[in-house]
Amino acid sequence: MIRVRKKDDAVDLLNANYEVVKDRMNAGAKGIEEAALLDVIALGYVAVGDLKTVGSLLNAMKEVIDNLKDDSPHLDLILMHMGSMYSTLSKFGKSLDTYQRAFNIMERTYGKDSPFLVTPYLAMAKVLGSTGKATKAIEKYHCAITILESKRGAESKDLVVPLLGLGNLLLKERRVNDAETHFTRVLDIYTKSYGQNDGRIGLAMTSLAQVKCAQGKSDEAIHLYERALHVMNDSNYLLPDDSIMEKMRVDLAELLHAVGRLDGKNWHPLWFLLLYLRAQEGRELLEECLLITERHKGKGHPSLVTHMINLATSYSQSKNYAEAEHLLRRSLEIMIKQKGSDDQSVSFPMLQLAVTLYHLKQDEEAEKLALDALRIREKTFGEDSLPVGEALDCLVSIQTRVGKDESELLVLLRRILDIQEKEFGYESEEVLVTLKKIVSFLDKLGRSDEMLPLQRRLSLLRKKYKQMIYH
């Protein structure tokens, strides 16, 4: 029912079963059968997306499970499901305790080197990694890998999941070379198992591309991403609008843009041409993401917004503000239709459109949009929040050019400075930039007594950053 989108019918069926189980429990039946029924019902609510009811069901399940002996049939499987659901609810402590009990039961039943232990090892590793306990998580991954190597062989396809999990955790912990070793092993296993043209090869290449990015080897990363997309497209392993394919295109586009923005002041003109072509290639990938999503989901679908904003950002970086404006207007229209005109999420394309219009010298509309974005953010995030500081900064730039009273702008700049000092610290680069603006306005207003202490502070900050650049 859930798969064919008959959600209401599915919920009615789940509710009816839940009422039957509650009646049985109220009558005193609290055995493994009730636990199993609650387990299936809870998993149904997870599929529906009703996590509040899942929490209530887990409480009922715990009441039953706590009074069952470890030799109850299928208890280990129910505990594994419970651990997963606790993790979905971000109740990681309860998740880990439940997984540990399931592991203890399996270890006593099947032995210390049984492949059945791999699943709880991986589940515990994922929870430990999510809660910042990387060392313990890595130990669990290694235990799972050791069992599979001894029972299934060093080239078994079953090794892929723990190797990827371990590699991703090591990458997160900035142990890049160790991560590369495990991702390379995954690529070798897939190549030997499926050949060089299977879509799974593309997934493994993507993981290696992330390593190359972390190592600063941009060209190698780009090459791997491009090969991965080529293999994935040719093999039809995933649909073009699949979220994994979408992420690969966006990641490659961001990398191409990043390479295109590298400082090249002393480079040969041909390097500038190469950087331009890289940025153009990245933009073409973002356009492809947008077109695929439009084709599969329609021109007014909310999922288009992210692609439109990414593409608009790319156009803005290339000074093509007219194209950026068109995309941002479309994205803003879709978001307002979906969320309403006062939702906080609307303020992000709204402010980006204001910046774009500022560059196009359409100051009147830019100011109106910046003021609307500021109003929404003040209401949502608070008057001294970082999103408000961002909106104020945009507004000051616009109002400076339209000739707003400088003393009023100075008040806004002091608000920005207070926010930046709180969020970034008193010696941050953001503070340095805002101090420059404040000193400039004070100079124009002839308020030298206020200007002098800020000039001294500005001078110290400039020396600090000059020394940092020198070293």
Side-chain angles (χ1 to χ4, degrees):
M1 285 178 178
I2 295 165
R3 283 175 183 160
V4 298
R5 298 183 181 178
K6 293 184 177 179
K7 183 177 176 180
D8 292 339
D9 292 341
V11 170
D12 288 342
L13 189 58
L14 290 168
N15 283 335
N17 278 276
Y18 189 17
E19 291 302 319
V20 171
V21 178
K22 283 196 286 187
D23 289 343
R24 288 169 58 162
M25 290 177 67
N26 289 334
K30 294 184 179 180
I32 191 67
E33 189 173 344
E34 284 68 38
L37 287 167
L38 288 169
D39 182 30
V40 174
I41 294 166
L43 290 170
Y45 278 109
V46 170
V48 169
D50 184 355
L51 298 185
K52 185 177 180 181
T53 302
V54 173
S56 300
L57 281 159
L58 282 171
N59 291 336
M61 289 172 71
K62 189 174 186 304
E63 182 184 339
V64 176
I65 292 291
D66 284 350
N67 293 308
L68 292 177
K69 293 182 179 179
D70 284 353
D71 60 359
S72 300
H74 308 302
L75 179 58
D76 52 345
L77 299 179
I78 295 170
L79 287 166
M80 289 299 298
H81 292 160
M82 287 180 69
S84 175
M85 287 185 276
Y86 276 131
S87 184
T88 300
L89 296 176
S90 298
K91 296 183 177 180
F92 297 115
K94 290 183 177 180
S95 176
L96 199 58
D97 291 343
T98 311
Y99 283 141
Q100 186 64 58
R101 186 179 174 190
F103 175 86
N104 293 340
I105 293 170
M106 291 182 187
E107 189 178 48
R108 282 196 298 271
T109 305
Y110 305 113
K112 292 188 175 183
D113 59 350
S114 169
F116 285 114
L117 299 181
V118 170
T119 300
Y121 268 135
L122 295 181
M124 288 189 285
K126 188 175 180 181
V127 172
L128 289 164
S130 299
T131 53
K133 299 173 182 175
T135 303
K136 290 184 178 179
I138 290 167
E139 288 175 9
K140 301 294 183 188
Y141 278 122
H142 279 302
C143 288
I145 291 167
T146 300
I147 289 173
L148 288 171
E149 286 176 334
S150 75
K151 296 294 182 180
R152 306 275 168 83
E155 296 179 357
S156 169
K157 290 178 283 187
D158 295 334
L159 283 163
V160 166
V161 172
L163 286 171
L164 283 174
L166 178 55
N168 286 326
L169 179 59
L170 290 167
L171 192 57
K172 182 181 172 184
E173 293 295 308
R174 300 183 181 180
R175 292 172 55 178
V176 181
N177 294 335
D178 291 336
E180 183 178 19
T181 300
H182 298 299
F183 289 148
T184 301
R185 196 172 166 193
V186 170
L187 182 59
D188 291 341
I189 290 171
Y190 272 153
T191 303
K192 288 174 183 174
S193 299
Y194 304 109
Q196 292 187 346
N197 298 316
D198 187 86
R200 281 160 282 213
I201 300 296
L203 295 176
M205 286 177 180
T206 301
S207 296
L208 273 175
Q210 292 170 351
V211 167
K212 297 301 180 184
C213 283
Q215 292 172 333
K217 299 176 181 177
S218 301
D219 287 337
E220 291 182 44
I222 289 168
H223 179 63
L224 281 165
Y225 272 126
E226 289 175 338
R227 281 181 60 199
L229 279 168
H230 179 74
V231 170
M232 299 283 274
N233 286 326
D234 286 356
S235 66
N236 294 317
Y237 181 69
L238 295 172
L239 293 171
D241 64 330
D242 186 272
S243 60
I244 294 173
M245 291 286 285
E246 188 176 283
K247 186 177 186 305
M248 287 170 66
R249 292 189 203 97
V250 171
D251 286 348
L252 175 55
E254 288 179 351
L255 178 58
L256 288 164
H257 277 102
V259 171
R261 289 194 300 269
L262 288 175
D263 180 20
K265 285 184 288 187
N266 300 315
W267 291 4
H268 191 278
L270 286 175
W271 276 108
F272 287 108
L273 176 60
L274 176 61
L275 295 180
Y276 169 78
L277 292 173
R278 283 269 168 86
Q280 181 65 25
E281 188 181 349
R283 188 153 47 252
E284 287 171 1
L285 280 165
L286 293 173
E287 287 171 347
E288 185 181 351
C289 286
L290 179 59
L291 289 171
I292 288 170
T293 306
E294 279 184 340
R295 187 162 61 244
H296 287 86
K297 297 182 180 178
K299 291 196 172 184
H301 197 275
S303 60
L304 292 171
V305 170
T306 300
H307 299 308
M308 288 177 181
I309 291 174
N310 285 340
L311 189 53
T313 302
S314 173
Y315 277 122
S316 293
Q317 288 164 357
S318 299
K319 313 297 183 189
N320 189 344
Y321 297 113
E323 287 292 341
E325 178 197 0
H326 170 68
L327 288 161
L328 289 168
R329 286 192 188 280
R330 279 186 64 194
S331 65
L332 186 57
E333 184 182 331
I334 292 170
M335 290 203 72
I336 289 174
K337 187 175 179 181
Q338 183 199 13
K339 300 277 192 178
S341 59
D342 286 336
D343 188 84
Q344 58 88 12
S345 59
V346 171
S347 73
F348 292 91
M350 185 180 285
L351 192 64
Q352 193 167 341
L353 179 55
V355 172
T356 302
L357 291 171
Y358 169 78
H359 287 294
L360 291 168
K361 295 184 168 54
Q362 298 179 30
D363 294 332
E364 186 177 344
E365 188 181 1
E367 182 180 17
K368 181 182 179 302
L369 287 166
L371 285 167
D372 286 343
L374 176 61
R375 173 182 55 79
I376 293 168
R377 291 185 176 194
E378 284 179 333
K379 183 179 177 182
T380 305
F381 302 110
E383 293 193 353
D384 60 348
S385 63
L386 194 55
V388 165
E390 183 186 26
L392 284 168
D393 196 41
C394 173
L395 183 62
V396 166
S397 296
I398 297 166
Q399 291 185 336
T400 299
R401 193 161 69 190
V402 299
K404 191 82 172 180
D405 184 88
E406 289 170 344
S407 59
E408 292 181 25
L409 293 174
L410 192 59
V411 172
L412 297 182
L413 282 168
R414 289 193 184 279
R415 277 187 67 189
I416 295 169
L417 183 64
D418 289 342
I419 291 168
Q420 291 174 336
E421 287 173 340
K422 185 184 77 170
E423 296 290 339
F424 302 120
Y426 284 82
E427 297 184 352
S428 65
E429 285 188 78
E430 292 82 3
V431 164
L432 185 148
V433 171
T434 304
L435 277 173
K436 282 183 189 175
K437 294 176 183 178
I438 292 174
V439 167
S440 175
F441 274 100
L442 288 170
D443 187 34
K444 289 177 184 177
L445 291 167
R447 290 155 65 171
S448 56
D449 54 331
E450 296 177 52
M451 188 173 68
L452 288 173
L454 292 177
Q455 279 183 320
R456 283 194 291 269
R457 184 179 171 192
L458 187 57
S459 177
L460 289 171
L461 280 176
R462 280 175 171 154
K463 282 181 183 177
K464 175 189 171 184
Y465 283 101
K466 190 175 180 180
Q467 287 170 354
M468 286 172 65
I469 291 167
Y470 176 77
H471 288 299

